[in-house]
Amino acid sequence: MSKAYVIGLDYGSDSVRSVLVDATNGEEVSSAVFYYPRWSNGKFCDPLTNQFRQHPLDYIEGLESTIRECLQKADNDEIVKAVKAISVDTTGSTPVAVDKQGIPLALSDRFADNPNAMFVLWKDHTAVQEAKEINVHAQKCDKDYLKYVGGIYSSEWFWAKLLHILRDDQDVREALYTWVEHCDYIPFLLTGGKRAQDIKRSVCAAGHKSLWAADFGGLPPNHFFAELDPYLDGIVDHLFTETYTAAEPAGTLSEEWANRLGLSTDVVVGVGAFDCHMGAVGGQIEPYYLSKVMGTSTCDMLVAPQNEVGNTLVKGICGQVNGSIIPGMIGMEAGQSAFGDAYAWFRQVLSWPVANLIAQSNDISDTDKSKIANLIDTQLIPDLSRKAEALPVTESSELAIDWFNGRRTPDADQTLKGALMGLHLGTDAVRIFRSIVEATCFGAKSIADRFVEQGIPVKGLIGLGGVAKKSPYIMQTMADVMNMPIRIHKSEQTCAIGAAMFAATAAGIYAKVEDAMEAMGQGFEKTYEPRAEMVAIYAKRYQQYLKLGTFIEETKH
């Protein structure tokens, strides 16, 4: 095979990363990161009301900046000329209101500072009431439109967010032509799309978040939405029927974007998908292995042959869709709404004196303040982990529930809250941290148990993402709680590498994504094995976790 290069573009919650990859062997030539400036400054967000919005300019500026930087770092004209394709993954469900030309409303002067005209980030939970109404309404229908999304619709998803925005903002409601996922918008932008109706929608986003299903003939009919709320009447006419896998091309770079990036108009742009789905491919997912992309939240992905799944439908997960991860296989998604975010929350709690008392002190120099803040930011969690690992675990140890950002799966409920139990005057920061780590692992076990209970075996675990790479204590606890090995993938950037694998497939370098995975995959660096003595104690503590969770659910109102 002659030399060919591809670019994987990975949009995360805080930043976007591009990687330039040798398509023949998966070797990373260069990479670049862009932190969203408006998001970093806390603009358009209100954590107290669970509002998290991102401006499209953060995405567009990051797209141009990171790809251009990757190409500059490569410092080789022959490599630049040999770039064949770009593919994109994003968070999701992260939709936005666009006009008839497919332009996000926030890119107009009129809506430039209106959060309702921006991308509604996956973690935005302002649509809890709308999700509840969708679930109640769906129960009245003769046809089960929720059966492929686990039977429960989430406030994190497409329709709940759309309905909330339509109700909340008359100006946006009147200007909106259609509603588009982030992963579908970026390929449309790169290929120079001019009409919203031409946006190629990914089966990944459509099937897992938008109630699209082949056996429905597409989306549920208009009357389903019009009866739910008149504001939704006619919306489906501006949406889509056809969907595409990430192995297919969305088109080629437009002349404008080819010039902006310094690439050729022959460069193929692949259909987009969600980060966790492409991350699972970058992490070399195997049938019946739960591929856990662990970052601020987790996405747990599982693939299985369609003929083996048959009519089995797993209740309480984030859907199962043919081709959403690997074309030709059923892709199943679950996850936790807070994983790394739970640890970050605790770090923020402990950092209060630094952010307030020390920051306001006139007796400490700005240089020393910066050093102290950096020390806390970089060393607090690693040091807590080392000390927590040394503590003995008993049945009476402090216990936590991991629903700090609601519960994604099993059985989505974003109104649920986290909890701590068993605190006493001997409880310190290390013991609380340990209980939060254990809770996130117990939450992960409840997901695996649901798959098994519903007839889908889980043969093992694959760990991907920042937490998996950087936190041996958390990964060992995960293996002990789950009572199964967890293999950690070598790649630092499995989502971006997965996007690169799909780019290579969309460009025809490989006939199918499995071939790209085999050729470009980097393999695994470590396996954490469960320790028998810890498995036994965690089995007992897991039962306590389930009881406490049930109590919280029953008393939440």
Side-chain angles (χ1 to χ4, degrees):
M1 180 189 295
S2 59
K3 280 292 183 181
Y5 297 86
V6 291
I7 294 172
L9 193 62
D10 169 37
Y11 282 94
S13 298
D14 303 318
S15 63
V16 57
R17 178 183 298 272
S18 288
V19 293
L20 176 62
V21 176
D22 185 333
T24 61
N25 58 20
E27 180 182 344
E28 184 180 304
V29 177
S30 60
S31 66
V33 181
F34 177 91
Y35 289 91
Y36 310 133
R38 297 160 189 83
W39 172 261
S40 298
N41 289 330
K43 289 188 174 182
F44 317 119
C45 298
D46 181 5
L48 291 178
T49 62
N50 289 310
Q51 176 181 298
F52 296 98
R53 310 291 165 84
Q54 291 185 326
H55 201 287
L57 285 177
D58 275 355
Y59 296 159
I60 295 169
E61 291 166 3
L63 160 67
E64 183 171 4
S65 173
T66 56
I67 291 181
R68 288 182 65 87
E69 185 178 342
C70 270
L71 297 175
Q72 289 167 0
K73 285 180 175 178
D75 195 24
N76 186 316
D77 288 343
E78 294 305 311
I79 289 178
V80 174
K81 290 176 183 177
V83 172
K84 302 298 183 184
I86 299 171
S87 279
V88 177
D89 72 70
T90 73
T91 63
S93 179
T94 301
V96 69
V98 302
D99 64 17
K100 207 166 187 176
Q101 287 71 49
I103 300 171
L105 298 186
L107 292 179
S108 67
D109 291 341
R110 179 184 175 192
F111 293 106
D113 295 314
N114 185 340
N116 290 328
M118 299 174 190
F119 285 90
V120 185
L121 191 65
W122 63 270
K123 67 193 284 184
D124 185 294
H125 291 156
T126 52
V128 167
Q129 178 59 34
E130 286 75 15
K132 180 179 179 180
E133 291 177 33
I134 291 171
N135 286 310
V136 171
H137 177 64
Q139 298 303 316
K140 302 174 184 175
C141 296
D142 293 335
K143 195 162 193 174
D144 185 0
Y145 291 113
L146 302 184
K147 66 180 181 179
Y148 293 112
V149 295
I152 301 174
Y153 203 78
S154 170
S155 63
E156 293 183 348
W157 298 349
F158 188 93
W159 286 104
K161 290 177 172 177
L162 171 59
L163 181 53
H164 179 77
I165 296 296
L166 293 177
R167 288 174 171 177
D168 193 49
D169 197 314
Q170 179 180 347
D171 289 342
V172 171
R173 182 171 71 244
E174 292 175 351
L176 173 148
Y177 176 77
T178 192
W179 193 237
V180 181
E181 285 285 358
H182 184 193
C183 67
D184 297 332
Y185 168 70
I186 297 296
F188 175 77
L189 174 71
L190 287 172
T191 55
K194 301 298 183 186
R195 302 189 310 166
Q197 65 195 65
D198 296 333
I199 297 173
K200 287 190 173 181
R201 312 286 187 137
S202 73
V203 70
C204 167
H208 285 279
K209 313 300 181 187
S210 305
L211 299 180
W212 182 94
D215 72 348
F216 300 160
L219 298 167
N222 183 65
H223 70 79
F224 173 82
F225 298 107
E227 291 167 6
L228 172 63
D229 191 298
Y231 284 148
L232 293 175
D233 191 7
I235 286 286
V236 291
D237 296 334
H238 294 169
L239 285 170
F240 56 94
T241 300
E242 297 298 318
T243 62
Y244 303 85
T245 72
E248 299 176 81
T252 56
L253 274 182
S254 69
E255 185 174 351
E256 176 192 354
W257 274 98
N259 290 334
R260 288 174 71 166
L261 299 176
L263 293 169
S264 164
T265 54
D266 293 330
V267 171
V268 170
V269 178
V271 170
F274 289 151
D275 47 6
C276 52
H277 294 69
M278 284 192 171
V281 169
Q284 296 172 274
I285 192 171
E286 300 175 31
Y288 300 111
Y289 276 74
L290 205 55
S291 181
K292 300 179 66 63
V293 183
M294 290 177 273
T296 54
S297 66
T298 74
C299 279
D300 296 359
M301 314 306 300
L302 187 145
V303 295
Q306 186 176 10
N307 63 329
E308 295 179 13
V309 173
N311 295 322
T312 300
L313 292 172
V314 181
K315 295 179 181 178
I317 64 171
C318 303
Q320 52 194 86
V321 180
N322 188 13
S324 64
I325 303 174
I326 295 177
M329 286 195 182
I330 301 297
M332 303 183 192
E333 177 190 345
Q336 294 162 268
S337 293
F339 197 81
D341 265 355
Y343 314 139
W345 164 80
F346 189 55
R347 181 180 61 201
Q348 289 172 349
V349 171
L350 296 180
S351 300
W352 189 91
V354 175
N356 291 273
L357 301 180
I358 292 177
Q360 296 168 18
S361 172
N362 295 322
D363 298 325
I364 303 173
S365 70
D366 289 342
T367 299
D368 286 341
K369 288 177 184 178
S370 180
K371 288 180 179 179
I372 293 169
N374 183 66
L375 180 68
I376 295 294
D377 189 55
T378 59
Q379 297 301 315
L380 184 57
I381 296 300
D383 203 47
L384 285 171
S385 296
R386 285 190 290 271
K387 289 179 169 57
E389 190 171 20
L391 289 175
V393 179
T394 69
E395 287 187 55
S396 61
S397 296
E398 294 83 354
L399 187 68
I401 296 293
D402 56 312
W403 302 332
F404 294 96
N405 197 25
R407 184 178 63 202
R408 181 178 294 162
T409 55
D411 305 321
D413 188 343
Q414 304 308 149
T415 67
L416 293 171
K417 307 297 182 184
L420 294 169
M421 187 185 83
L423 307 187
H424 50 86
L425 293 178
T427 299
D428 56 15
V430 176
R431 286 171 169 78
I432 294 175
F433 175 73
R434 177 184 62 183
S435 73
I436 294 172
V437 169
E438 292 175 348
T440 55
C441 295
F442 292 146
K445 178 172 172 56
S446 71
I447 292 170
D449 285 355
R450 177 60 61 91
F451 278 109
V452 174
E453 290 164 4
Q454 299 285 315
I456 301 296
V458 176
K459 294 182 178 179
L461 306 173
I462 296 174
L464 314 170
V467 177
K469 295 281 290 183
K470 299 174 184 177
S471 304
Y473 167 61
I474 297 172
M475 291 303 96
Q476 184 60 62
T477 305
M478 180 76 71
D480 294 338
V481 168
M482 302 282 274
N483 192 21
M484 61 178 68
I486 179 167
R487 289 184 290 163
I488 309 302
H489 200 269
K490 282 183 181 179
S491 176
E492 294 278 354
Q493 301 298 332
T494 51
C495 293
I497 294 297
M501 291 174 179
F502 274 109
T505 308
I509 298 170
Y510 296 101
K512 55 185 181 178
V513 73
E514 292 96 319
D515 296 337
M517 287 170 61
E518 183 175 353
M520 299 171 67
Q522 299 302 300
F524 300 88
E525 67 180 13
K526 185 170 185 178
T527 299
Y528 292 91
E529 298 284 350
R531 300 169 295 183
E533 69 277 11
M534 299 306 296
V535 168
I537 185 65
Y538 278 133
K540 295 177 180 178
R541 286 181 60 73
Y542 178 59
Q543 293 305 313
Q544 296 174 341
Y545 167 88
L546 294 177
K547 288 180 180 179
L548 179 56
T550 298
F551 172 78
I552 290 172
E553 286 190 82
E554 292 175 346
T555 59
K556 69 176 181 177
H557 299 301

